[in-house]
Amino acid sequence: MTEKPNDRLFMAAAVEEMRKSDAQVKVGAVIVVDGQIVASACRTKNEHAERAAIRLATERGVKIKNATLYATLEPCVELRPGQQVPCCADLVVSSGIKEVVIGRYDPNPNVCRQGWKRLRDGHVYLRDFHQDFREEIDGINSRFVGFFEKGMGPTGGAKVGHKDKGIFLVQFSEDDDRTMEIAWTVAGIDAAYGFASRPVEVAMARFANAFDEVDDPTAYDFRHSVRIGVGEIGIFKGPSACVLVKPKEIHSGPEYGNTDFFVNFEYQVRITKPR
């Protein structure tokens, strides 16, 4: 990767700002002009870190055209049609900042890499944090990242992008570090294929619409993949546990009338072979 003088110093400063954040998703940002930090901020419940850093620099009379922004999470794009406040990616472009160094791409499949693309299309030069800082960022935001990549049993929820096979890892419980991989692929409107790789298999609990309606989760017809619709119950069965899943929302891309690709689902772990 391209490295510039004091890169690690500025990355570390952004991570330290991130640690100060009281928001559910913690983010830190610093703005650098001529090798000096001119503004730094963390995300709060009311303001994103990039927006706050740009505001502080402006209030101090600092010209940030051609500045470099170090942000621990890629700047956001609008999530709601008709959003009144400009998203952070557009604000960065309009401010004249010439370079953005990104700590982590947003794990939310609705957002991932869209901020990067918006900046790229706005002729902003883009680079990435070093790997050790990315790992530190993921550790600080483990709950946020985990919602899209890994979850903890016995119950929980997740949101997984499934355009190119979405994989989510479920740990059975805090006291049981065994795991099972839950995979999804595109099926169509309000449905996705639950996809399993041996020794895991998957089945449909036909007509069930609640986890407590499944008595013995092993008493079904298991196979390599099954189509699971919104509100239906699927069962992933492994050698030592079953994971029941219930999709709450599924978007399957433009072919099926959606912009995004994701499965938003609840899950429940049922142990079948104690340790």
Side-chain angles (χ1 to χ4, degrees), residues 55-96:
R55 175 180 55 77
L56 287 171
T58 302
E59 290 173 353
R60 294 167 182 168
V62 178
K63 295 181 179 180
I64 59 174
K65 186 175 181 179
N66 298 324
T68 298
L69 168 69
Y70 291 78
T72 60
L73 186 70
E74 70 174 302
C76 68
V77 295
E78 63 277 353
L79 291 176
R80 303 183 305 275
Q83 182 174 310
Q84 296 300 309
V85 179
C87 65
C88 289
D90 286 349
L91 182 62
V92 169
V93 171
S94 65
S95 74

Side-chain angles (χ1 to χ4, degrees), residues 10 30-39 57 62-70 97-98:
F10 301 138
V30 299
I31 297 175
V32 175
V33 175
D34 296 329
Q36 299 293 322
I37 295 175
V38 297
V62 178
K63 295 181 179 180
I64 59 174
K65 186 175 181 179
N66 298 324
T68 298
L69 168 69
Y70 291 78
I97 288 173
K98 71 172 183 178

Side-chain angles (χ1 to χ4, degrees), residues 13-14 42 44 52 61 77 96 112-113 127 148 154 163 175 183 202 209 218-219 222 236 246 248 257 263-264:
C42 65
T44 67
V77 295
C112 183
R113 296 281 291 177
R127 297 189 293 125
F148 304 101
K163 181 179 180 180
D175 301 322
V202 62
N209 52 32
T218 68
F222 288 89
F236 288 80
K246 180 182 180 180
K248 299 189 296 182
V263 181
N264 187 357

Side-chain angles (χ1 to χ4, degrees), residues 22-248:
D22 62 359
Q24 184 177 8
V25 180
K26 301 180 184 302
V27 183
V30 299
I31 297 175
V32 175
V33 175
D34 296 329
Q36 299 293 322
I37 295 175
V38 297
S40 58
C42 65
R43 182 173 181 170
T44 67
K45 296 175 182 177
N46 299 315
E47 190 174 31
H48 285 196
E50 305 94 318
R51 183 179 302 279
I54 291 172
R55 175 180 55 77
L56 287 171
T58 302
E59 290 173 353
R60 294 167 182 168
V62 178
K63 295 181 179 180
I64 59 174
K65 186 175 181 179
N66 298 324
T68 298
L69 168 69
Y70 291 78
T72 60
L73 186 70
E74 70 174 302
C76 68
V77 295
E78 63 277 353
L79 291 176
R80 303 183 305 275
Q83 182 174 310
Q84 296 300 309
V85 179
C87 65
C88 289
D90 286 349
L91 182 62
V92 169
V93 171
S94 65
S95 74
I97 288 173
K98 71 172 183 178
E99 180 179 15
V100 176
V101 188
I102 297 172
R104 180 68 155 87
Y105 296 109
D106 199 312
N108 185 338
N110 294 1
V111 181
C112 183
R113 296 281 291 177
Q114 291 194 47
W116 180 94
K117 181 179 184 299
R118 189 74 62 89
L119 294 170
R120 191 267 322 262
D121 293 348
H123 308 291
V124 176
Y125 181 62
L126 297 161
R127 297 189 293 125
D128 298 310
F129 274 44
H130 295 175
Q131 182 176 348
D132 59 329
F133 284 112
R134 289 199 300 271
E135 293 172 353
E136 188 174 358
I137 289 166
D138 283 352
I140 297 170
N141 262 342
S142 58
R143 288 189 64 184
F144 172 58
V145 173
F147 185 71
F148 304 101
E149 296 181 358
K150 181 179 179 180
M152 183 76 67
T155 60
K159 187 175 185 179
V160 178
H162 71 318
K163 181 179 180 180
D164 301 306
K165 186 181 177 183
I167 297 175
F168 187 79
L169 194 67
V170 177
Q171 182 174 322
F172 295 171
S173 72
E174 290 187 6
D175 301 322
D176 190 337
D177 60 3
R178 292 177 295 177
T179 60
M180 186 183 298
E181 187 178 276
I182 306 301
W184 300 95
T185 58
V186 175
I189 297 174
D190 290 334
Y193 286 112
F195 180 85
S197 300
R198 291 190 180 280
V200 178
E201 299 175 299
V202 62
M204 267 286 296
R206 192 178 181 200
F207 302 128
N209 52 32
F211 293 149
D212 61 10
E213 293 181 340
V214 176
D215 180 24
D216 181 353
T218 68
Y220 294 85
D221 181 17
F222 288 89
R223 57 193 68 184
H224 175 66
S225 68
V226 295
R227 191 177 190 274
I228 307 171
V230 170
E232 296 182 323
I233 306 295
I235 303 169
F236 288 80
K237 179 173 71 73
S240 54
C242 291
V243 177
L244 283 62
V245 298
K246 180 182 180 180
K248 299 189 296 182

